[in-house]
Amino acid sequence: MAPNSKPPVVKIMDYGKFKYEAAQKAKEARRNQANTILKEVRFRLKIEAHDYTTKLKRAEGFLKAGDKVKAMILFRGREQSRPEQGVRLLRKFAEDVAELGTVESNPTIDGRNMVMVVAPLKNKSEAKAEQNAVRTANKQAARDAKSGSESDPTDESEA
């Protein structure tokens, strides 16, 4: 416990129990660990408003889950001569997801594609813990509602 004190303070304990508890802590740490994944959302330069909102909602879901999002615009034919329109679209995308993530790499042209990476504001483990808390709260609310509804019909039938 305190080897530098005079006299040294020690604690007598069961080594097997100590080893077991250390293994349990390591197992719990591995379970709570989460790797950030790079998810991809692809656009075309001439994307319709509804399609854009669909892609935006998908990207927001990825960012809420704590994953990075790679926004990619695919250029075809003469669209390649207008990269400024692609930059404009990606900037609009970055503004729309600003409350959930920040731009990690600015738009860059990679062959026929323009790519931008958006990183989440929360890391993966925080997002996972938040989702678990919401899930347990919903389960508890469902249990409370179920137990409350079971007692109500008996009160009405007796009256």
Side-chain angles (χ1 to χ4, degrees):
M1 296 287 293
N4 296 334
S5 65
K6 298 272 180 175
V9 180
V10 293
K11 180 178 176 184
I12 299 173
M13 59 193 306
D14 182 9
Y15 182 69
K17 182 180 177 183
F18 170 75
K19 203 170 172 184
Y20 173 77
E21 288 174 354
Q24 292 301 313
K25 285 181 185 177
K27 183 179 177 183
E28 185 71 24
R30 274 194 310 274
R31 185 171 39 185
N32 290 337
Q33 170 185 324
N35 297 330
T36 303
I37 301 169
L38 183 65
K39 301 285 188 169
E40 190 173 291
V41 178
R42 292 183 177 198
F43 300 104
R44 287 285 315 280
L45 190 60
K46 298 175 184 173
I47 189 168
E48 292 294 322
H50 180 265
D51 296 334
Y52 176 77
T53 56
T54 303
K55 301 277 187 177
L56 183 67
K57 286 179 184 176
R58 193 82 172 129
E60 287 174 349
F62 293 148
L63 290 170
K64 284 179 184 173
D67 294 322
K68 290 183 181 182
V69 175
K70 179 180 180 181
M72 180 184 288
I73 296 180
L74 307 171
F75 290 104
R76 282 164 129 180
R78 293 186 180 178
E79 292 175 351
Q80 291 179 7
S81 64
R82 301 197 176 268
E84 66 277 356
Q85 288 181 344
V87 171
R88 209 174 308 134
L89 180 61
L90 287 177
R91 291 244 165 87
K92 180 183 175 201
F93 178 77
E95 289 172 9
D96 291 341
V97 296
E99 68 268 0
L100 299 172
T102 58
V103 176
E104 191 173 87
S105 70
N106 288 320
T108 56
I109 295 178
D110 183 27
R112 291 179 160 231
N113 305 326
M114 184 173 283
V115 178
M116 179 179 74
V117 177
V118 180
L121 294 177
K122 309 179 206 180
N123 63 22
K124 185 84 170 181
S125 58
E126 289 174 1
K128 205 172 188 183
E130 187 176 297
Q131 286 176 347
N132 288 340
V134 168
R135 189 177 301 126
T136 55
N138 289 342
K139 283 182 182 178
Q140 187 62 38
R143 281 190 208 122
D144 292 344
K146 187 177 180 182
S147 64
S149 66
E150 288 175 358
S151 61
D152 288 340
T154 57
D155 294 337
E156 292 174 9
S157 62
E158 291 173 6

